[in-house]
Structures are given as structure tokens and as C-alpha cells.
């Protein structure tokens, strides 16, 4: 993500459920699955269809509240939002519509072209359980921030990278489409790099507020 050299972090080992080996950046703290273990786009899409993120699942709806609560406090309705990476079921967008928000939803694996942003940018973009799938995190984060108006919010939810001794047993890495793992420091690095502020209001939740800068990224 930051361009610094990475170091070996975790070796799969014989009989491991891990999809491959991992490297970690000592500068920004990002850990990534080595590229030779990444699925191709069609394999990813097929795996996404096995996810059970259904609108009628009380557990999943409660999970989304971790992000909804701080987001709606930061950006009260009415406001225009985009759910980036909504999957085949735009559950989060539907929930926010019931709270008075105008929502668009898009997923590069399932949807057509990305919806056009309002003239001055989206008031917010939600990105739940998405950034762990990104092959080029810095490029994708920049693209999201560029579509948000100055003062708008990028709301992210993922799982924080655990301590190295816990990584081998961590369920999150066993999903073969999960290739990038972030610590709070990784997201603080990203905020500084893009000239944003960031709050971490709940476990696994980050709210980036875009600054007034025009390009969304420091030179």
C-alpha cells in the first residue's frame, strides 16, 4: 500500500488451511497474501456467491449496525451515499434507505458501470467487508475518496489484523478472496497519505473524512 519493501510474515506450512504465504510491510503495517495465491476474477465471483449476507439474517443486520451507528451520527440524513462493493444483495444500502438516505449500490463483481456521483461528490461511501479483497488498496482507496465531496466520509468495515501469534488460527485469512489485512495503524497511514482525518469508533470500523484538498492525495 505504501510502496515500501515487505517482509515474510506467515508461511502456509504443510496441511494449513491458508490459501498461501503472506508478507507484511513494516512501514504501514499492511499484510498481504502473495499474489501467486490470488484467485482470478471468475473464481472470486463464484466464491462471493457462497457468502450468506442476507437481508433477513438478524446476526448480519446487527453486524452492520457497528458501521451504521457511527456513520449516521457523522452524516445525518438526508444525504447521498454509495455502497461500494455491495455484493449480490445490497443489504446495507437498503437499511440506510429506511433511515432517510438516498443510496446507490455497486459491486465490480456483480454490477454494471459504477453509478455517476452527484456533481459535488457523494456525501459518503460505505465499504463493508471489501478492503480485504482489494489487490491494489492504495489505488482503490484513492478512487473512493475522489468520489466523495470535501467534508464527506468514507466508512470502512473490516477485521483488524491480529497479533502474529494469533494469525495462524485467524478465521478471516481462510477466505481465499481475502488478500489484504489492515491494522489501525495501516488506516492511519492511509489517512495521512490522502490528507484525511480518520476515526476508529468501533472494532473494525474506520471513518475517513475527506479534507478540502482537490486531488485527495499528497504528492
Amino acid at each position: 500500500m505504501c510502496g515500501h519493501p515487505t517482509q515474510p510474515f506467515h508461511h502456509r506450512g504443510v496441511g494449513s488451511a491458508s490459501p498461501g504465504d503472506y508478507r507484511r510491510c513494516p512501514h504501514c503495517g499492511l499484510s498481504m497474501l502473495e499474489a501467486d495465491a490470488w484467485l482470478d476474477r471468475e473464481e472470486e465471483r463464484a466464491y462471493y456467491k457462497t457468502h450468506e449476507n442476507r437481508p433477513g439474517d438478524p446476526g448480519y443486520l446487527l453486524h452492520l449496525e457497528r458501521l451504521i451507528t457511527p456513520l449516521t451520527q457523522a452524516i445525518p440524513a438526508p444525504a447521498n451515499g454509495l455502497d461500494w462493493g455491495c455484493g449480490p444483495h445490497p443489504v446495507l444500502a437498503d437499511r440506510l434507505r429506511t433511515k432517510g438516505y438516498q443510496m446507490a449500490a455497486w459491486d465490480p463483481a456483480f454490477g454494471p458501470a459504477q453509478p455517476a456521483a452527484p456533481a459535488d461528490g457523494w456525501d459518503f461511501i460505505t465499504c463493508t467487508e471489501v478492503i480485504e479483497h482489494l489487490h491494489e488498496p492504495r489505488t482503490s482507496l484513492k478512487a473512493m475518496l475522489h468520489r466523495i465531496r470535501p467534508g464527506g466520509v468514507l466508512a470502512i468495515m473490516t477485521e483488524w489484523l491480529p497479533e502474529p501469534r494469533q494469525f495462524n488460527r485467524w478465521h478471516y485469512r481462510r477466505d481465499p478472496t481475502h488478500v489484504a489485512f489492515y491494522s489501525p495503524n495501516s488506516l492511519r497511514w492511509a489517512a495521512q497519505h490522502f490528507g484525511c482525518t480518520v476515526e476508529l469508533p468501533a472494532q473494525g470500523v474506520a471513518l475517513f473524512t475527506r479534507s478540502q484538498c482537490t486531488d485527495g492525495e499528497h504528492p
Side-chain angles (χ1 to χ4, degrees):
M1 184 166 67
C2 67
H4 282 68
T6 59
Q7 300 172 350
F9 175 62
H10 179 80
H11 179 64
R12 172 172 44 191
V14 177
S16 170
S18 173
D21 297 336
Y22 298 82
R23 300 184 69 85
R24 190 174 189 179
C25 176
H27 182 70
C28 69
L30 183 76
S31 177
M32 288 201 76
L33 178 66
E34 291 193 350
D36 62 0
W38 295 353
L39 302 183
D40 64 31
R41 184 62 68 184
E42 289 304 317
E43 291 171 326
E44 285 183 326
R45 184 182 291 108
Y47 194 87
Y48 294 156
K49 290 179 179 178
T50 69
H51 290 181
E52 294 294 331
N53 299 335
R54 303 290 179 177
D57 182 347
Y60 183 58
L61 296 178
L62 182 62
H63 175 67
L64 292 178
E65 286 297 325
R66 280 200 292 138
L67 181 134
I68 290 173
T69 297
L71 172 62
T72 54
Q73 292 170 351
I75 304 286
N80 291 313
L82 170 66
D83 186 13
W84 182 302
C86 62
H89 306 286
V91 180
L92 177 59
D94 288 343
R95 291 289 291 174
L96 288 169
R97 289 185 186 110
T98 68
K99 297 178 181 293
Y101 294 89
Q102 295 184 33
M103 293 297 301
W106 176 73
D107 192 295
F110 295 101
Q114 188 177 148
D120 57 350
W122 299 105
D123 294 314
F124 64 91
I125 289 177
T126 57
C127 188
T128 59
E129 306 291 339
V130 171
I131 63 171
E132 62 275 8
H133 301 276
L134 299 179
H135 292 179
E136 297 183 359
R138 185 169 63 185
T139 299
S140 296
L141 289 171
K142 179 179 179 179
M144 294 179 205
L145 288 165
H146 276 195
R147 288 164 172 78
I148 296 171
R149 64 168 174 79
V153 168
L154 170 60
I156 286 173
M157 185 161 65
T158 188
E159 287 198 18
W160 300 149
L161 182 69
E163 293 297 322
R165 66 179 180 275
Q166 299 172 325
F167 188 81
N168 188 54
R169 299 188 300 275
W170 192 34
H171 73 96
Y172 213 54
R173 70 173 179 81
R174 297 179 182 177
D175 183 325
T177 65
H178 289 181
V179 301
F181 305 110
Y182 308 75
S183 67
N185 283 339
S186 303
L187 298 179
R188 293 187 185 103
W189 178 91
Q192 182 178 24
H193 177 76
F194 290 112
C196 300
T197 60
V198 64
E199 298 179 26
L200 308 176
Q203 176 68 23
V205 174
L207 300 183
F208 290 82
T209 300
R210 185 180 167 185
S211 71
Q212 299 297 320
C213 65
T214 58
D215 65 355
E217 184 173 10
H218 291 318

